[in-house]
Amino acid sequence: MRVRTRAAIVAAGVVVAVVALLGVWFVAKQFGHRLQLPVASRTCTVQADGRVVLGADQMANAATIAAIGAQQQMPERAVVVALATAYQESHLRNIAHGDRDSLGLFQQRPSQGWGTPEKIQDPRYAATRFYTALKKVRGWEEMRVTEAAQRVQRSAYPEAYEKWADQSQVLTRALLGHATGAVACTVGPNPTMRGPAAAAALIQGLTLDWGLPGVASPTDLTGLAVSATDSRNGWRYAHWLVSHADDHGVKRVRFGDLEWTAEQGTWARVDDGRAAPTQVLAEVFADT
């Protein structure tokens, strides 16, 4: 009798778990995979007149979206709109699926003229196409975030973008250099890249995202130096480097007298008399 009772309890528990999972699936299905799920252990915390926590991949994508907007000389409001759009459409993940043939960060559709599937899944290309489309919306600067986004996206949920406006504003302030030491990411012990390959990838990323010429790499090819004309630009590049730490094997970033390390995952003041106010310095994990 006790065995049967225990079996019945276990069976009931399984049923409850299945029902709960089906409920989560149904909600996600209804909202087009836009359900906010817990972020992975490798996370980034952004503090800039507000707080946002993202997974490492989300942070890297957000940093690229912001950088492309700056490179195209778009107003900061445009970056807020772009980030809110990507938040809603993909939760800042470069996904290879979506409603009908929608793909990528902005869920752009090849059948609607946004580009080939391969191009749309390139975050730089996708962000560029979004900003190009936004430019064509007359008066978008005066619109609410959700209205401007909807003019580009033509979503079935036109008000959905507004709920990400505050988070996108926090990210924009940090990623465009209005805050100091505002992006702090934790990095796992086994980075995706190391050594010369990591340094070369960082240089290429900075060049493509920001359009930066002349990023210097030391002779040992385990680090790089980025010239900064002022504090704001310095923090733009420093935050971008930390945002891409997990996928590019960044071990250390320094600007002025503040330094972020992968070991600590936070920014700390360094009083060694070697502050470099005109350069952002980065070091990648060496080859093992």
Side-chain angles (χ1 to χ4, degrees):
M1 192 72 174
R2 289 180 179 176
V3 173
R4 291 181 180 178
T5 301
R6 289 175 182 173
I9 292 173
V10 170
V14 170
V15 170
V16 170
V18 170
V19 169
L21 287 172
L22 286 173
V24 171
W25 174 86
F26 177 77
V27 172
K29 186 73 174 176
Q30 289 294 103
F31 289 92
H33 61 259
R34 294 178 182 122
L35 183 66
Q36 185 172 2
L37 299 174
V39 295
S41 58
R42 297 182 179 184
T43 59
C44 298
T45 301
V46 183
Q47 298 271 9
D49 292 338
R51 184 174 184 269
V52 173
V53 178
L54 294 175
D57 61 328
Q58 295 170 299
M59 192 70 237
N61 289 327
T64 289
I65 290 171
I68 293 297
Q71 185 183 162
Q72 292 201 343
Q73 298 183 329
M74 294 294 288
E76 291 187 15
R77 179 73 170 175
V79 176
V80 175
V81 174
L83 288 170
T85 302
Y87 242 129
Q88 171 61 19
E89 295 293 349
S90 67
H91 212 60
L92 291 169
R93 291 193 166 97
N94 193 22
I95 53 180
H97 56 83
D99 180 41
R100 287 171 283 190
D101 60 338
S102 301
L103 295 166
L105 288 169
F106 297 91
Q107 288 292 277
Q108 294 157 335
R109 299 180 60 192
S111 64
Q112 300 300 310
W114 286 97
T116 66
E118 294 76 19
K119 286 183 176 180
I120 287 172
Q121 290 180 86
D122 176 353
R124 297 180 181 102
Y125 174 89
T128 299
R129 286 300 308 271
F130 179 85
Y131 288 121
T132 299
L134 184 62
K135 288 179 187 177
K136 297 177 181 178
V137 177
R138 181 176 298 179
W140 71 265
E141 298 91 339
E142 285 75 44
M143 296 178 184
R144 290 189 304 145
V145 167
T146 199
E147 292 168 350
Q150 174 64 4
R151 292 292 185 91
V152 175
Q153 300 296 110
R154 302 184 183 280
S155 168
Y157 305 96
E159 289 294 318
Y161 304 103
E162 193 66 27
K163 66 175 174 284
W164 305 112
D166 290 344
Q167 293 94 322
S168 298
Q169 184 66 55
V170 171
L171 291 174
T172 298
R173 282 189 53 78
L175 294 171
L176 294 187
H178 292 295
T180 298
V183 178
C185 297
T186 60
V187 177
N190 300 308
T192 305
M193 307 181 75
R194 287 178 175 269
L202 276 177
I203 291 173
Q204 182 182 41
L206 282 163
T207 301
L208 293 174
D209 278 15
W210 292 101
L212 292 180
V215 178
S217 179
T219 55
D220 62 3
L221 295 178
T222 60
L224 56 93
V226 186
S227 296
T229 56
D230 54 33
S231 177
R232 181 183 171 192
N233 276 321
W235 283 112
R236 286 182 174 189
Y237 308 144
H239 289 154
W240 185 95
L241 287 162
V242 175
S243 297
H244 283 276
D246 188 64
D247 59 349
H248 284 73
V250 180
K251 181 180 181 180
R252 186 186 314 273
V253 177
R254 179 167 180 176
F255 182 54
D257 59 356
L258 290 179
E259 183 177 79
W260 169 91
T261 62
E263 181 179 5
Q264 299 297 326
T266 57
W267 288 91
R269 193 168 300 279
V270 181
D271 297 318
D272 59 4
R274 295 188 299 163
T278 61
Q279 280 190 324
V280 180
L281 305 176
E283 178 187 355
V284 300
F285 285 92
D287 284 328
T288 54

